[in-house]
Amino acid sequence: MKESKGISHFHAGFWTVGLFIVVFLCTCNGDITYSVPEEMKKGTVFGNIAKDLSLSVKGLSDRKARIDMEGNGRRFFDLQGGQLAIAEIIDREELCGSKPSCSLNYELVLENPLELHQITLQIEDINDNPPRFPKSEIRLEIRESAHKGERFPLDEAHDPDVGRNGIQNYSLEKNDYFRIDVNSHSNGRKYGELVLNKELDREQQQQVTLLLTASDGGFPQRSGTAVVRVIVLDANDNLPVFSETVYKVSLPENSHLGTVVVTVSATDADEGANGEITYEFSHISDKEARLFSINEVTGEINMIGTVDFEDKNEYELWVKAKDGAGLASNAKVDVEITDVNDNAPVIYIKSLNVPIPENVASGSEIGIINVQDKDTGGNKQIRCTIQQNVPFKLNPSIKNYYTLVTTAELDRELISDYNVTITATDEGSPPLSSSKTIHLSVSDVNDNPPVFEHQSYSAYVTENNKPGSSVCSVTARDPDWRQNGTVFYSLLPSEVNGFPVSSYVSINGDTGVIHAVRAFDYEQFRSFKVQVEARDNGSPPLSSNVTVSVFITDENDNSPQILYPTPEGNSFMTEMVPKAALSGSLVSKVIAVDADSGQNAWLSYQIVKSTDPGLFTIGLHSGEIRAQRDISESDSMKQNLVISVKDNGQPSLSTTCAVYLLISDNLAEVPELKDMSYEESNSKLTSYLIIALVSV
Ligand SMILES: *[C@@H]1O[C@H](CO)[C@@H](O)[C@H](O)[C@H]1NC(C)=O
Ligand SMILES: *[C@@H]1O[C@H](CO)[C@@H](O)[C@H](O)[C@H]1NC(C)=O
Ligand SMILES: *[C@@H]1O[C@H](CO)[C@@H](O)[C@H](O)[C@H]1NC(C)=O
């Protein structure tokens, strides 16, 4: 509680304390303690963590420095740059009640490598609460026969502040009958006892009313008052006496409602109403009042709420036994709460670097996991595991932190994501466990070159193709992701017959379809090779090459060509046939060639017209002209044949030629021949011709 009149002093005090913020730096374990007064304004900077850890502000941010705390507790401050600044006003009394020391524990987490520093905020009390008495009037009944020097305990005042800011003194209004004696409990708490200074006389004064003041030792000092009303009694009376001054009990947390904590008991030597004892709590906080009740008559203390070890593990209850005359004495009940394994471990994923590039080295740190269990002892010991069949493991790190690391190389093309289940089990009995599944995706790296479906390709193109017609298509596959797996095709530069390959074929970069750029001529060249490159769109790109062999196939585009008899120039060329030629004798031969190949060049010969059909015949494929019967005198001397030479293409092409035969033994009989044979001896011409035929 703050009083408005104390505010200006309070600020003065705040600044005074503010100057004394002390930093204890212990470099031995990297733990830092900051001493921080409660009630500081938002934004107040109280520490420079960068300086205290000798790290640069950039180093802190690069290593993702952050403040973690146990469970879901409140943070109260922020890390701003390298400094720690108040983010929420801290009320020490709310956090720590009457504990003499109040500290908050945090962890400063740095990643890569994981590093932890314990940060402790020691919350310093400021005197923001005045002492207060439970009731504004304290009623005491004291017999008139009481002796000088007898003592009567007074109700205590309560001040949530601690140390010097807690209650330091009680004072009593000046009067004739009583003085006050201030004593301390074993725990240091001060209480006052009224001491009789001058014997009372009921007949003279039935009541004494006094102002009691409790004051703390803070700066500024605060105080609270109550009125003590002493009723002077006629009868003899004794104080109640507890069987023990301190009752110690222990109680498992989560005990059922109604559980008997302890039964306190006091006796009073008096008889009747003066010996009738009632019990009550003499000093109880609101919270304790919701958990414990005391039976006024029996002194039995029961649970009326649920105690939680994790919330508070010890209670100090003050009980008062009061007799009918209002005389009272106090005893203390120390209740220790013992832990039950009622909290499963909690898994916190403190950091996760996903997606994981598939090329990370085995052993890389990809996440930080923290496990916590609010229980204590073995109930707090945690084992943390993940399933076996994944390329990850948990490495125990500092305290209850684990790093999640890879144990093998990853291949996105094989497995692109993992569900990893983390299981944390405590060592309680029975143990409690919890689990959490995290999804780890693997991101692509351009680690696969495109691969052609075939080691090489062959394409067959019929000559006289149309320019632009497709020749063949190549396909390469790349299992990488998106652009890393997008394939483009191109021709590698080379020459075919002295011309760039691009003047023969082109390739569609997207589809891999190869087109002819011009018409091919089988008779010019029959095949050529093209190198095709497939390249992905990664950076850097990967590529592979393949050879495409293009074979040009023949088309029947050439007619047979007559070599003999010479078609042009000399249509007078005449063969001599001896008059005595017999059936079957060779008289001449037609020689023809065809520029095409195969069937397109397979020639057949036929006589299509003759002077004397039946006299000569021609070999279908040899082109040899033979007498079909013996030559006789009656046969005409001049014999003309028209020969057709035909190839076997589809459709076939043909040529015709004429052969002139002269049945004669005497060259002189051939007037036409004279013109052409002037340079040769007549007698030798026949044999020359025959030799020529044979050699062809
Ligand atoms: C991981 O879990 C999610 C959600 O349950 C599911 O869609 C996905 O298929 C799982 N992945 C694997 C690799 O098991
Ligand atoms: C392709 O691979 C590179 C590394 O080689 C990577 O940085 C990039 O993210 C990948 N692209 C996609 C779309 O996955
Ligand atoms: C493909 O061929 C080109 C030209 O010869 C060469 O530079 C490149 O290294 C080859 N690429 C592969 C993957 O063999």
Side-chain angles (χ1 to χ4, degrees), residues 375-481:
D375 293 317
T376 193
N379 296 341
K380 192 188 183 72
Q381 295 300 313
I382 309 170
R383 263 180 321 110
C384 203
T385 54
I386 60 169
Q387 76 262 42
Q388 293 289 311
N389 53 347
V390 289
F392 304 102
K393 71 171 177 186
L394 278 181
N395 275 346
S397 184
I398 314 152
K399 288 162 104 191
N400 43 0
Y401 280 83
Y402 294 82
T403 52
L404 184 63
V405 298
T406 58
T407 56
E409 283 177 3
L410 306 176
D411 186 358
R412 190 202 66 87
E413 285 71 54
L414 230 52
I415 303 176
S416 64
D417 61 343
Y418 297 88
N419 285 333
V420 171
T421 302
I422 301 164
T423 307
T425 310
D426 67 28
E427 285 174 11
S429 138
L432 294 175
S433 69
S434 60
S435 63
K436 198 165 217 165
T437 298
I438 51 178
H439 184 240
L440 301 176
S441 57
V442 181
S443 67
D444 190 42
V445 163
N446 194 19
D447 57 354
N448 289 284
V451 173
F452 281 99
E453 282 183 336
H454 301 291
Q455 291 206 322
S456 64
Y457 290 82
S458 297
Y460 295 87
V461 190
T462 308
E463 60 174 331
N464 304 320
N465 55 302
K466 277 207 205 91
S469 60
S470 106
V471 171
C472 78
S473 90
V474 296
T475 308
R477 310 237 172 252
D478 187 325
D480 288 322
W481 183 243

Side-chain angles (χ1 to χ4, degrees), residues 242 247 261-265 278-282 284 288-289 291-304 317-321 331 333:
F242 272 104
Y247 296 84
V261 179
V262 67
T263 303
V264 295
S265 123
T278 56
Y279 300 93
E280 62 187 76
F281 289 121
S282 58
I284 190 162
E288 287 160 352
L291 297 175
F292 303 99
S293 74
I294 188 163
N295 185 307
E296 209 181 76
V297 180
T298 61
E300 186 177 277
I301 298 177
N302 293 101
M303 297 299 314
I304 53 168
L317 306 174
W318 289 86
V319 290
K320 184 193 289 191
V333 180

